[in-house]
Amino acid sequence: MTIIAGVDIGNSTTEVCLAEIKKNSEIVYLSSSIYKTTGIKGTLDNIPGIIQAIEAASNNAQISIKDIGLIRLNEAAPVIGDVAMETITETIITESSMIGHNPATPGGLGLGKGVTTHITGLPELESLESVICVVPHTVDYEEAANLINRATEKGIDIQGAIVKKDDAVLIGNRLKKKIPIIDEVAYIDQVPLGMLAAVEVAESGQTIKALSNPYGIATVFALKPEETKKIVPISRALIGNRSAVVIRTPQGDVKERTIPAGSLIIEGLRQKETVDIEEGSEVIMSIVKKITPLNDVHGESGSNVGGMIEKVRNVMSNLTNQPRGQMKIQDILAVDTIVPQKVTGGLAGEFSLENAVGLAAMVKTNRLPMEQIAEKLAKELGIETVIAGVEANMALLGALTTPGTAKPLAILDLGGGSSDAAIITNNNKTSSVHLAGAGDMVTMLINTELGLENLHLAEEIKKYPLGKVESLFHVRLEDGTVKFFDKSLPPQFFARTVIIKGQDDMVPIQAKHSLEKIRAVRREAKHKVFVINAVRALEQISLTGNIRYIQYVVLVGGSALDFEIPEMISNALAGYGIVCGQGNVRGMEGPRNAVATGLVLSI
Ligand code: ADP
Ligand code: MG
């Protein structure tokens, strides 16, 4: 009798399967474990994580590590993924003409139009012109409200106000005639006076309608068709805001500049094509598809994308201690995305949504130096350690322990850095592919599209459903159902969007986005990465190029644990007549532990 440990070292996690091999070769599974991979896959830094994982599995099985007679490591697929992002448009205000920010608490309601006038100038005003007052920080809300009320009594048509401090509601409450008021305008001194301006505030929970529409702005300022064309970037930048100001200055100009992002040079075995990043992901991916298998990918030198690709190559070469020239990029996944960016020249710290391209790149190294790891592990633990099998084949063996599966079978191993696929035919022929783009890319997209600057939070948004704390005793879940609580929730949760991690474990999201927006970004990111990659991967391993040839697909890997990704992929593949679902390794492990189990089975 021997106890063996199958150890799968992945980019993100190290998994162990412990089993006893009886005299009659019968396999009795003892336990399994999972631990975060320490260091980069295939380096000696993996050892502490491997030992932790083996210890955990031994504890679960109530044996001592010393009882293990053999460790079987996977011949880890020598692929490492990385992700990067570049914006390709930029909005620049060359003169103050737009204030499109979203103060938390604007005042009043509706659309007002008039000439910008300093509030202290109101008493001298005789004109019958409509007015938008500009209120600096030196005038407090009492005084501002008084001045406006008196001017209104005198018959001056005050249509709206722009305020520096967070005073909109305080001023609004004191006014006899209600007007839309925008506050928290940081650079109020730069608001030009004597210019025609429009102020719009929508009801809470609604977004502005007039100023986010080019024809709305054209109506307010009586613009000619060619002038209307020029203000499109303004209206676009204001979409989704609850309030906005647009000022018409004689030379005022907002530009949407396209940043020269550079081009990608995609090199196949026989042909080479150059594609401009600005063409967008669809065009880039169609060229990748045409040229696959790739030999390497370069970026135009001196351009943004050039820097991005070379950075990936450098990181990989440093990590693997192999020369840069050997770091060949074997696959890329390009995704169109939208990133909130600060508008250059804005008056209130405005953000505008800029187009960007996210890129995942997969580098194939020569072969990961797994022997080093095996040697060191054997020395540290005093246990014989061997490199036992190719990752994809082991994953297939493990996946086949899912009840209800049979050959021919394809698996999609959805990890952190790469999406891998493998197929086994009736007569045990196998083939596999590794594609760039997986869980880490989804996390990056959520992080940037929501402007979170917090990868940990983005990861949690990816993994769990959302809810809205409607009272301190109940939460409305994103599917519309309601969850009640016996004890009051912490008051700071009130009215917040929260991540529902567990029965009593909720994390409030400190971002201004609505639940619906966060949910839409989350689902779209998953769709863009995993549905696209599932189809790409199956096309490539289907031997015939026609994915209808494949009938059964089992999803394994960390991202197959996701609460909505398996469903999205299944729905997409149903269109091809493919049966697809989350794996259940050994009928009990879910989509986890496939490779580790395969390593035990293959003895
Ligand atoms: P690897 O084989 O490369 O080590 P894994 O199979 O462990 O990768 O997958 C890691 C990925 O799985 C990460 O992107 C992680 O965010 C994702 N992941 C892990 N658990 C979950 C979960 N419960 N829901 C969604 N994604 C998950
Ligand atoms: Mg894996």
Side-chain angles (χ1 to χ4, degrees):
M1 169 210 99
T2 336
I3 293 180
I4 66 169
V7 178
D8 166 27
I9 308 160
N11 276 311
S12 314
T13 45
T14 299
E15 295 179 317
V16 171
C17 172
L18 264 193
E20 193 179 319
I21 313 292
K22 299 265 186 191
K23 283 249 159 56
N24 59 1
S25 302
E26 190 198 340
I27 297 174
V28 180
Y29 294 104
L30 300 177
S31 68
S32 55
S33 71
I34 179 164
Y35 200 82
K36 192 176 168 350
T37 297
T38 48
I40 299 296
K41 176 171 94 168
T43 61
L44 288 178
D45 295 341
N46 298 161
I47 304 258
I50 300 174
I51 294 181
Q52 291 276 2
I54 295 179
E55 257 170 14
S58 304
N59 287 341
N60 291 345
Q62 296 181 326
I63 62 161
S64 150
I65 291 199
K66 292 196 184 62
D67 298 332
I68 299 173
L70 177 70
I71 295 172
R72 290 166 66 80
L73 296 183
N74 61 326
E75 172 70 73
V79 298
I80 303 177
D82 198 8
V83 288
M85 167 98 69
E86 280 297 341
T87 46
I88 55 178
T89 58
E90 183 184 19
T91 303
I92 299 172
I93 304 180
T94 50
E95 200 179 321
S96 38
S97 54
M98 167 188 80
I99 299 170
H101 78 137
N102 243 344
T105 50
L109 200 63
L111 178 68
K113 184 181 100 175
V115 173
T116 50
T117 310
H118 199 279
I119 182 125
T120 53
L122 286 184
E124 289 106 64
L125 213 62
E126 301 281 337
S127 94
L128 297 174
E129 248 180 352
S130 301
V131 167
I132 300 283
C133 323
V134 178
V135 185
H137 70 283
T138 45
V139 178
D140 74 12
Y141 59 86
E142 263 324 330
E143 197 185 340
N146 272 335
L147 285 166
I148 295 173
N149 279 335
R150 255 181 278 142
T152 310
E153 275 161 25
K154 241 173 69 183
I156 293 174
D157 176 27
I158 305 222
Q159 288 261 324
I162 312 173
V163 182
K164 172 148 183 181
K165 289 192 282 187
D166 184 12
D167 281 350
V169 175
L170 292 170
I171 296 174
N173 286 343
R174 288 166 174 75
L175 294 186
K176 301 222 168 78
K177 182 183 150 231
K178 297 296 171 202
I179 54 170
I181 308 174
I182 291 210
D183 60 2
E184 295 180 71
V185 174
Y187 306 105
I188 198 118
D189 315 335
Q190 291 176 29
V191 172
L193 298 175
M195 302 292 162
L196 198 56
V199 176
E200 184 177 10
V201 173
E203 209 147 349
S204 67
Q206 304 254 0
T207 58
I208 53 165
K209 294 289 174 290
L211 298 182
S212 58
N213 168 2
Y215 301 121
I217 299 181
T219 311
V220 171
F221 295 119
L223 299 183
K224 298 195 192 77
E226 56 275 22
E227 291 171 319
T228 308
K229 234 184 200 169
K230 281 203 196 137
I231 51 86
V232 168
I234 301 186
S235 59
R236 250 171 55 84
L238 296 179
I239 290 174
N241 275 12
R242 197 189 141 196
S243 63
V245 178
V246 173
I247 303 164
R248 191 169 186 212
T249 51
Q251 291 92 35
D253 203 359
V254 172
K255 283 200 189 112
E256 188 179 55
R257 201 165 72 111
T258 300
I259 304 167
S263 48
L264 279 173
I265 300 131
I266 303 169
E267 217 180 279
L269 298 177
R270 276 180 298 278
Q271 48 181 336
K272 183 160 123 178
E273 266 196 49
T274 300
V275 55
D276 203 323
I277 279 279
E278 284 152 31
E279 305 244 10
S281 66
E282 218 170 289
V283 175
I284 300 173
M285 292 318 291
S286 71
I287 292 177
V288 170
K289 181 173 173 181
K290 193 171 98 192
I291 296 191
T292 291
L294 302 190
N295 184 35
D296 201 1
V297 177
H298 292 275
E300 184 184 341
S301 63
S303 73
N304 280 347
V305 66
M308 181 156 115
I309 296 275
E310 290 323 302
K311 193 188 117 241
V312 172
R313 212 185 299 279
N314 274 339
V315 169
M316 299 300 162
S317 125
N318 287 339
L319 289 174
T320 54
N321 258 329
Q322 292 177 21
R324 281 192 55 203
Q326 279 181 25
M327 298 293 113
K328 304 279 188 203
I329 295 176
Q330 304 277 290
D331 186 48
I332 52 169
L333 174 68
V335 170
D336 292 328
T337 153
I338 287 169
V339 190
Q341 294 265 303
K342 221 172 192 163
V343 175
T344 310
L347 293 185
E350 296 101 309
F351 278 83
S352 153
L353 294 176
E354 305 293 354
N355 297 323
V357 170
L359 263 194
M362 199 264 303
V363 173
K364 209 164 225 162
T365 63
N366 266 346
R367 185 158 185 251
L368 292 176
M370 299 298 289
E371 292 85 4
Q372 282 180 32
I373 299 179
E375 238 168 72
K376 180 136 190 244
L377 201 58
K379 215 179 269 165
E380 282 201 16
L381 295 178
I383 302 171
E384 185 191 350
T385 305
V386 297
I387 295 156
V390 175
E391 182 167 328
N393 295 345
M394 297 300 109
L396 279 166
L397 272 183
L400 274 167
T401 63
T402 295
T405 56
K407 294 177 215 171
L409 178 80
I411 56 163
L412 285 170
D413 182 352
L414 311 174
S418 66
S419 299
D420 306 327
I423 190 167
I424 183 163
T425 63
N426 269 330
N427 37 20
N428 294 329
K429 268 213 206 119
T430 62
S431 74
S432 61
V433 292
H434 305 280
L435 299 185
D440 295 346
M441 186 171 207
V442 174
T443 306
M444 175 187 80
L445 290 174
I446 293 173
N447 188 40
T448 48
E449 290 196 10
L450 295 175
L452 301 175
E453 293 179 24
N454 181 344
L455 275 176
H456 178 74
L457 179 62
E459 178 80 10
E460 302 221 303
I461 289 177
K462 175 177 85 172
K463 282 189 185 170
Y464 305 101
L466 300 167
K468 179 100 185 166
V469 181
E470 292 188 337
S471 81
L472 290 180
F473 291 93
H474 85 279
V475 172
R476 169 95 45 194
L477 305 180
E478 65 171 59
D479 66 358
T481 56
V482 177
K483 194 173 140 102
F484 290 95
F485 295 85
D486 295 336
K487 274 196 273 165
S488 149
L489 295 166
Q492 64 271 25
F493 280 33
F494 182 68
R496 285 227 174 266
T497 298
V498 291
I499 304 169
I500 315 276
K501 287 180 71 175
Q503 194 55 23
D504 284 310
D505 190 2
M506 293 188 288
V507 180
I509 303 176
Q510 315 281 352
K512 281 186 179 172
H513 307 290
S514 67
L515 181 150
E516 289 72 23
K517 164 89 193 220
I518 300 172
R519 179 172 186 271
V521 165
R522 179 193 79 211
R523 288 181 61 87
E524 224 173 274
K526 290 176 181 176
H527 201 273
K528 283 181 202 167
V529 173
F530 282 112
V531 172
I532 303 257
N533 263 355
V535 173
R536 277 200 321 139
L538 295 179
E539 269 170 5
Q540 290 186 30
I541 53 161
S542 65
L543 310 172
T544 58
N546 179 1
I547 81 173
R548 285 173 194 278
Y549 165 82
I550 299 165
Q551 289 175 28
Y552 295 94
V553 174
V554 168
L555 306 175
V556 297
S559 298
L561 280 172
D562 190 273
F563 69 101
E564 52 196 354
I565 290 171
E567 210 175 281
M568 287 179 186
I569 297 179
S570 298
N571 285 342
L573 294 185
Y576 297 93
I578 296 172
V579 181
C580 169
Q582 200 183 43
N584 191 12
V585 173
R586 287 186 267 125
M588 58 181 290
E589 295 283 340
R592 282 280 188 200
N593 214 258
V595 175
T597 299
L599 284 163
V600 166
L601 273 172
S602 61
I603 193 165

